[in-house]
């Protein structure tokens, strides 16, 4: 289980924080102090916590709107342009996106759409030594695997552009210190960092 506190020094000016656990996108900019780590072109915020070894699990409640949840390299430039700065649109971050209709995972500008119903609670499991990131839909302490990002061989006669991108570039992400990352895409998008469901942590420990 990984405890996440949102880092106010990284929050874009259109993200309002509620303590260290809640974030909401707003219309009126917030006069945050200047910070070299603050996002300026994307409505994103990072967790304070660094991940560089072992396994990490956290949960996020999707309260409203379009939200992306993922990880980003600690040294990622928060002043990147909107097109390059968004989670999953570069080789230094990846995410699970809810766009109001379906889920998709993004990495390196490549997208893979997921055919699953909406889950208000998303579990994120990062296995640093395995170079794997798995997103779960959590409901009533039951976990549905939405997608795992990990190097995988193609079966004969099969090819997938997204998986090919994962196979070639995803392992290099783990050469960096990583941080939890959140992108609030739509106005009024709102998320809350979990309380963890203990049953889910127990399930992961048995795997």
């Amino acid at each position: 289980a990984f405890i996440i506190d949102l880092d106010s020094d990284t929050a874009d000016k259109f993200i309002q924080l509620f303590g260290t656990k809640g974030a909401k996108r707003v219309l009126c900019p917030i006069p945050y102090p200047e910070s070299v780590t603050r996002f300026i072109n994307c409505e994103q915020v990072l967790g304070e916590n660094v991940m560089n070894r072992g396994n990490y699990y956290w949960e996020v409640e999707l309260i409203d709107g379009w939200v992306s949840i993922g990880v980003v390299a600690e040294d990622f430039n928060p002043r990147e342009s909107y097109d390059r700065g968004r989670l999953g649109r570069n080789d230094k971050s990846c995410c699970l996106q809810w766009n109001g209709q379906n889920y998709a995972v993004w990495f390196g500008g490549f997208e893979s759409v997921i055919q699953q119903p909406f889950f208000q609670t998303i579990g994120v499991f990062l296995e640093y030594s395995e170079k794997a990131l798995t997103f779960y839909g959590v409901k009533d302490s039951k976990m549905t695997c939405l997608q795992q990002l990990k190097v995988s061989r193609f079966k004969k006669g099969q090819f997938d552009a997204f998986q090919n991108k994962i196979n070639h570039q995803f392992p290099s992400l783990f050469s960096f210190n990583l941080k939890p990352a959140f992108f609030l895409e739509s106005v009024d998008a709102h998320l809350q960092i979990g309380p963890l469901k203990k049953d889910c942590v127990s399930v992961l420990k048995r795997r």
Side-chain angles (χ1 to χ4, degrees):
F2 189 48
I3 306 302
I4 292 176
D5 291 316
L6 297 174
D7 185 352
S8 61
D9 287 339
T10 66
D12 177 87
K13 63 184 178 181
F14 290 103
I15 291 182
Q16 180 180 359
L17 299 183
F18 300 89
T20 61
K21 305 297 183 185
K24 183 177 182 179
R25 181 169 167 180
V26 293
L27 281 172
C28 297
I30 296 172
Y32 287 124
E34 289 291 323
S35 169
V36 296
T37 59
R38 189 174 309 289
F39 286 97
I40 63 169
N41 295 314
C42 300
E43 293 78 10
Q44 297 181 152
V45 60
L46 304 184
E48 291 183 347
N49 327 64
V50 172
M51 302 173 289
N52 54 21
R53 63 174 62 87
N55 298 334
Y56 306 83
Y57 177 74
W58 64 97
E59 291 176 353
V60 181
E61 303 292 328
L62 306 185
I63 298 174
D64 197 8
W66 298 14
V67 174
S68 293
I69 302 161
V71 299
V72 66
E74 184 181 27
D75 70 348
F76 184 75
N77 180 7
R79 297 175 179 272
E80 281 278 11
S81 66
Y82 180 77
D83 288 344
R84 287 278 305 160
R86 291 180 291 166
L87 290 182
R89 275 61 168 192
N90 50 73
D91 290 346
K92 285 194 170 185
S93 67
C94 58
C95 71
L96 174 76
Q97 175 197 50
W98 170 254
N99 64 13
Q101 294 183 322
N102 54 45
Y103 289 106
V105 286
W106 284 87
F107 173 69
F110 284 71
E111 175 190 22
S112 177
V113 176
I114 300 168
Q115 301 300 330
Q116 287 284 355
F118 175 73
F119 290 90
Q120 185 160 11
T121 303
I122 298 297
V124 186
F125 186 37
L126 178 70
E127 299 170 273
Y128 205 89
S129 60
E130 298 294 322
K131 297 181 173 60
L133 179 66
T134 309
F135 296 102
Y136 293 94
V138 181
K139 185 176 182 180
D140 300 327
S141 296
K142 295 181 180 179
M143 306 177 72
T144 300
C145 180
L146 299 176
Q147 186 147 337
Q148 182 178 71
L149 306 184
K150 186 179 181 180
V151 170
S152 177
R153 293 184 178 179
F154 293 115
K155 294 180 181 178
K156 189 174 181 180
Q158 291 185 336
F159 179 81
D160 179 87
F162 180 81
Q163 185 61 48
N164 188 56
K165 180 69 174 178
I166 294 293
N167 290 349
H168 284 88
Q169 299 292 335
F170 192 64
S172 65
L173 187 63
F174 291 82
S175 63
F176 301 98
N177 290 337
L178 300 176
K179 286 194 166 188
F182 309 90
F183 177 26
L184 288 82
E185 299 190 46
S186 61
V187 175
D188 290 333
H190 191 181
L191 64 82
Q192 183 82 20
I193 308 299
L196 292 176
K197 295 172 178 59
K198 293 181 180 179
D199 291 350
C200 297
V201 176
S202 299
V203 168
L204 292 171
K205 284 182 177 179
R206 295 196 295 269
R207 293 184 177 177

